[in-house]
Amino acid sequence: MDEVGGIKIVVEAEDRASAVISSVSASVNDLGRASSGIVGQKAALDAAMKGSAQSSAALGSSVTKTKDNLKQLESGMAQQEKTTLKYTKSLRDSANKLREKQAAVQNAAKAYKTNTASIRENISGLEKQKSFLNNAIVSKQSEISTLKTANLTLNKNSQQYEDNKNAIQWTTTELKSLKSQYKETELAIKNQQAALHSEEKTYKDAQTAVKNASAAHAEMRDNVKQSKSAEAEYSEVITKTKAELQEQQKEYEKIQKAESLINRGSDISKFGSAVDSATKPLQYAAVAVASLGTASALIATSFEDNFANVKKTVDGTPEQLEQIRQEIIDMSTVGINGHSAIPQTTAELTELAAA
C-alpha cells in the first residue's frame, strides 16, 4: 500500500473517531436529560401520591358513611318488619272482632225486630187501657158531680139524699181506684217505651260496634299495607346502598392499588435519583471509555489489516514477525531505544513496513 492509501485510512479512522466522540457527547446529554426526567417524574409521583391520598381519604370516609347508613337502614328495616308483624296480628284480631260484631248485630237485629214488635203491641194495649180508664174517671167524676148537685135540692133527712150521699162515696172510691189504675197504666207505658228505647239502643250500639270494628279492621289493613310499603322502600334503598357501597369499595380498592403502585414508583424514583447522583460521573466515564474503545477498535482493525500485508512481504519466523509487530506499536506509542514516539499511527507504520 502506498503512502496516500495509508493517509486515507488514517483520515477515515479519524472521522470514525470524531463520530464516536460526537456520539459520546450525545450520550452524555441524554444522561443529563434522563436525570432531569427522573426529577420531573419524582415531582409528578409526589403530586400523584398527595392527590391519591386525598382521594383515598375522601372515598374511605364515604365508604364508612355508607356502611353506617346501611347499618341504620338495616336496623330500620328490622324494626319495620317487627311493626308489620304487630300490625298483621292486630289485623287478624280486628278481623275476628269484626266477625263477632257482625254476628252480634245480626242477633241484635233479630231481637230488635221481635222485641220491639211485642213492646209496641204492649204499649198499644196500655194506651187503650189508659184511654178507657180516663173515660171511666171522667164518668165517675160526672156522676159524683150530678149526685152532689141533686143533694143540693133534697132534704137532708130524706132517703134520696142519703142514697145520693152513699152513691157519692162509692163513686169517689171507684174514681180513686180508676185514677190509681190510670197511673199504673201510664207507668207501664213508660216502662214499655223505655224497653223499646233500650232495644233500639242495643241494635244501634251493635250497628255502631260493627261500624267501629269495620273501621278498625280497615285501619289495620291500611297499617299493614303502609308497613309493607315501607319495608319495600327500605329494601329498595338497602339494595341501592349495597350497590353503591360495592362500587365505592371497588373504587377504594383501585385507589389503594394505585397508591401501592405510586409508592413503589416513588421508591424507585428515589432510588434511581440516588443512584443517578452517585454514579453519574461513572456513567459519563463508561460512555467515554466505551466510545474510545470503539475508536481504538477501528484503529486496531486497520493495524491488523496492514500488519497482515507485512507478513506477506517479510520472510520470517512467527517469533520474528511478533517482534516486528511489537516494535511498530512501541514506535507509535512510547518510542524505542530512548527515542520519543513518532507521530505516525501504527496503521501508517505497518503500511510503510509492508511497502
Side-chain angles (χ1 to χ4, degrees):
M1 180 180 297
D2 58 12
E3 185 176 356
V4 174
I7 293 171
K8 183 178 179 181
I9 292 173
V10 171
V11 171
E12 290 178 352
E14 288 177 350
D15 291 341
R16 291 179 184 178
S18 177
V20 169
I21 291 171
S22 298
S23 177
V24 169
S25 178
S27 298
V28 171
N29 291 334
D30 288 342
L31 284 172
R33 285 193 295 272
S35 176
S36 299
I38 290 172
V39 174
Q41 289 174 5
K42 181 179 182 301
L45 283 171
D46 290 340
M49 285 179 66
K50 184 177 180 181
S52 176
Q54 293 175 347
S55 299
S56 178
L59 190 54
S61 177
S62 296
V63 168
T64 300
K65 289 180 180 179
T66 303
K67 285 182 177 180
D68 292 340
N69 187 30
L70 182 59
K71 288 181 180 179
Q72 292 178 357
L73 288 170
E74 289 175 340
S75 176
M77 178 66 168
Q79 186 61 41
Q80 193 63 50
E81 288 175 344
K82 292 180 180 178
T83 301
T84 300
L85 290 175
K86 181 181 71 175
Y87 283 150
T88 302
K89 183 179 180 300
S90 298
L91 180 63
R92 288 195 297 266
D93 293 342
S94 67
N96 293 333
K97 288 181 180 179
L98 178 59
R99 285 191 289 269
E100 291 175 1
K101 299 304 179 182
Q102 288 172 337
V105 79
Q106 290 176 354
N107 294 331
K110 292 177 181 179
Y112 175 78
K113 185 177 181 180
T114 301
N115 295 339
T116 54
S118 176
I119 292 170
R120 286 191 176 94
E121 185 177 352
N122 291 339
I123 290 173
S124 178
L126 290 170
E127 289 289 350
K128 289 178 181 179
Q129 184 178 350
K130 179 183 176 182
S131 178
F132 171 78
L133 291 171
N134 185 63
N135 292 333
I137 289 171
V138 172
S139 176
K140 294 300 180 179
Q141 289 174 341
S142 179
E143 288 179 11
I144 292 171
S145 179
T146 300
L147 291 171
K148 286 181 177 181
T149 300
N151 278 351
L152 291 175
T153 61
L154 294 175
N155 186 355
K156 292 182 180 181
N157 294 322
S158 65
Q159 186 62 41
Q160 186 65 42
Y161 183 84
E162 286 295 329
D163 292 339
N164 289 345
K165 184 178 178 181
N166 292 331
I168 289 171
Q169 291 176 349
W170 298 333
T171 304
T172 300
T173 301
E174 290 176 354
L175 178 60
K176 184 178 180 180
S177 176
L178 289 171
K179 286 182 177 181
S180 177
Q181 292 178 30
Y182 184 84
K183 288 182 179 180
E184 290 176 357
T185 302
E186 282 187 327
L187 181 59
I189 290 172
K190 287 181 179 180
N191 290 337
Q192 290 296 309
Q193 288 175 338
L196 180 62
H197 178 71
S198 178
E199 290 294 331
E200 290 175 347
K201 185 177 183 303
T202 299
Y203 182 48
K204 287 181 179 179
D205 287 346
Q207 289 178 319
T208 301
V210 170
K211 183 178 180 180
N212 292 339
S214 179
H217 183 64
E219 181 179 358
M220 286 299 105
R221 187 170 56 246
D222 289 341
N223 288 341
V224 170
K225 183 178 180 180
Q226 291 175 4
S227 186
K228 287 184 177 180
S229 177
E231 280 186 32
E233 291 178 0
Y234 266 116
S235 179
E236 182 179 357
V237 174
I238 286 173
T239 300
K240 290 182 179 179
T241 303
K242 284 182 177 179
E244 180 182 352
L245 178 60
Q246 188 176 10
E247 290 299 321
Q248 288 178 348
Q249 287 175 330
K250 287 181 180 179
E251 291 300 319
Y252 188 57
E253 289 175 1
K254 289 180 181 178
I255 287 181
Q256 286 182 322
K257 289 180 180 179
E259 282 183 345
S260 177
L261 292 174
I262 290 173
N263 287 331
R264 280 187 286 173
S266 177
D267 293 340
I268 292 170
S269 174
K270 292 176 181 177
F271 176 75
S273 178
V275 170
D276 179 69
S277 298
T279 64
K280 188 175 291 183
L282 297 178
Q283 292 170 0
Y284 292 165
V287 172
V289 169
S291 300
L292 292 175
T294 301
S296 299
L298 292 172
I299 297 172
T301 300
S302 298
F303 169 72
E304 293 298 337
D305 291 341
N306 292 332
F307 192 76
N309 294 327
V310 173
K311 290 179 179 180
K312 294 177 181 179
T313 59
V314 177
D315 185 15
T317 65
E319 290 78 8
Q320 291 173 332
L321 292 173
E322 178 61 27
Q323 183 179 356
I324 294 171
R325 178 177 180 278
Q326 186 59 45
E327 288 177 353
I328 292 172
I329 293 173
D330 291 342
M331 289 173 64
S332 176
T333 55
V334 298
I336 57 174
N337 298 325
H339 297 285
S340 300
I342 62 177
Q344 281 77 12
T345 66
T346 55
E348 294 173 324
L349 292 175
T350 50
E351 287 183 1
L352 292 173

